[in-house]
Amino acid sequence: MGISLTTLYFIAPLVFVIIRFFVNRRFHGIPPGPKPRLFVGNLYEISPLRFRCFWEWSKIYGPIMSVWFGSTLNVVITSADLAKEVLKEKDQQLAARNRTRAADLFSKGGQDLIWADYGPHYVKVRKVCTLELFAPKRIEALRPLREDEISTMVCSIFKDCGGKG
């Protein structure tokens, strides 16, 4: 015996509501963003100039949005004020995020500043970066090197485009 048509009419909407409930629970609490496709997320919608694509999306979804790279959720922040708040004032919450296998290998088990878990090591690395690497004196001392590298890069791009130089 098969399922009667009346039973099917009752069960189908119920199953739909249950599935919709679990999908909404999964995405509850994340910032708005473009609707992801199954398995690929938003990869096909991102233009080669990502920064321009994110800027255009920020006009629609706001300065903080969710973008899916495959099945991985990424939160994109397009406002300098929000970036400062997130990276400076809320850094403890971000320091304890999950690492993928690739990120774990790349960061040598979370020993760098970006992927380090919040703790004594993270505090020491951040202090070294703040006081030594990103100090205004250090940045100004490396200005001639940056200018030389930029000049070399521009000349290389110009030559590759068929210019004479």
Side-chain angles (χ1 to χ4, degrees):
M1 299 233 17
I3 298 176
S4 71
L5 198 54
T6 308
T7 308
L8 188 61
Y9 280 138
F10 176 72
I11 291 177
L14 185 65
V15 169
F16 177 76
V17 168
I18 291 171
I19 290 173
R20 186 79 176 166
F21 171 75
F22 284 112
V23 168
N24 284 343
R25 265 185 77 190
R26 180 176 178 211
F27 296 120
H28 181 71
I30 64 172
K35 187 175 179 183
R37 294 183 186 175
L38 190 61
F39 300 116
V40 295
N42 301 114
L43 289 175
Y44 288 128
E45 298 156 13
I46 298 173
S47 64
L49 296 173
R50 285 190 185 137
F51 68 91
R52 186 169 292 160
C53 180
F54 294 152
W55 178 70
E56 290 170 358
W57 283 347
S58 72
K59 291 178 179 179
I60 300 168
Y61 302 109
I64 182 168
M65 65 189 130
S66 301
V67 179
W68 292 84
F69 294 162
S71 60
T72 305
L73 172 65
N74 295 275
V75 177
V76 178
I77 299 173
T78 59
S79 162
D81 293 333
L82 271 176
K84 181 179 179 181
E85 180 182 341
V86 167
L87 297 173
K88 191 170 185 175
E89 299 166 12
K90 306 283 187 186
D91 62 334
Q92 293 180 11
Q93 290 90 344
L94 289 174
R97 61 191 183 278
N98 294 332
R99 289 188 297 270
T100 62
R101 187 178 305 169
D104 202 40
L105 291 172
F106 183 71
S107 67
K108 297 180 181 162
Q111 296 300 307
D112 65 347
L113 180 63
I114 296 172
W115 292 106
D117 294 326
Y118 189 80
H121 174 74
Y122 175 80
V123 172
K124 287 178 191 174
V125 171
R126 182 170 173 189
K127 187 174 183 179
V128 167
C129 288
T130 304
L131 298 177
E132 298 294 329
L133 297 177
F134 304 131
K137 275 184 163 179
R138 180 65 61 119
I139 290 173
E140 191 58 36
L142 295 173
R143 183 181 184 137
L145 179 64
R146 288 193 318 272
E147 290 174 348
D148 185 48
E149 289 295 323
I150 289 171
S151 174
T152 304
M153 178 185 68
V154 169
C155 289
S156 172
I157 292 171
F158 184 73
K159 286 178 185 176
D160 288 346
C161 292
K164 297 178 183 175

